[in-house]
Amino acid sequence: QVQLVESGGGLVQAGGSLRLSCAASGTILRINVMGWYRQAPGKQRELVATMSHDRTTNYADSVKGRFTISRDNAKKTVYLQMNDLKSEDTARYFCNLASLSGVLDYWGQGTQVTVSS
């Protein structure tokens, strides 16, 4: 059974930075996509950034140039460096690990990011 544990959320002022981490445990496929999604109150969950096993990345337009995703395959960990945070970045951030086919799809419990203006 795969488990994902996020850390690094918190309260930060606008313009500040945070780094989220997500560690996976259990047996995971070598070929996969790890990433971050977020959900603000009253809104649908949305993609923030993903990185596949070959390090291909995909970012939401709203975070391009401010957020950077990275991963350490040996540690089965994915990171999200968030710079120049804005109040609209306030949300619960969820880690996701999925197979390329989408058949396998795992979620963490989420970590709260709150940006004060």
Side-chain angles (χ1 to χ4, degrees):
Q1 182 70 15
V2 174
Q3 289 189 323
L4 303 175
V5 178
E6 303 103 330
S7 61
L11 174 64
V12 64
Q13 288 188 330
S17 298
L18 283 175
R19 188 191 194 209
L20 306 183
S21 299
C22 171
S25 61
T27 302
I28 63 174
L29 296 175
R30 183 181 65 83
I31 300 176
N32 58 63
V33 180
M34 295 187 78
W36 295 92
Y37 293 72
R38 67 187 181 188
Q39 187 168 18
K43 294 188 176 181
Q44 289 188 330
R45 190 172 296 188
E46 63 177 5
L47 177 145
V48 177
T50 63
M51 177 177 276
S52 64
H53 63 284
D54 62 0
R55 304 192 183 282
T56 300
T57 59
N58 182 34
Y59 290 94
D61 287 342
S62 60
V63 307
K64 284 180 180 177
R66 300 187 299 120
F67 292 10
T68 302
I69 190 170
S70 61
R71 60 188 284 175
D72 184 331
N73 290 334
K75 295 182 178 180
K76 295 188 286 186
T77 300
V78 64
Y79 306 94
L80 185 68
Q81 178 65 44
M82 305 185 293
N83 298 328
D84 189 23
L85 283 160
K86 304 176 180 181
S87 57
E88 52 263 43
D89 295 318
T90 294
R92 191 163 186 84
Y93 284 69
F94 296 87
C95 178
N96 176 260
L97 168 64
S99 60
L100 290 183
S101 66
V103 171
L104 299 177
D105 192 26
Y106 303 99
W107 292 91
Q109 292 298 308
T111 184
Q112 179 67 34
V113 171
T114 302
V115 183
S116 62
S117 57

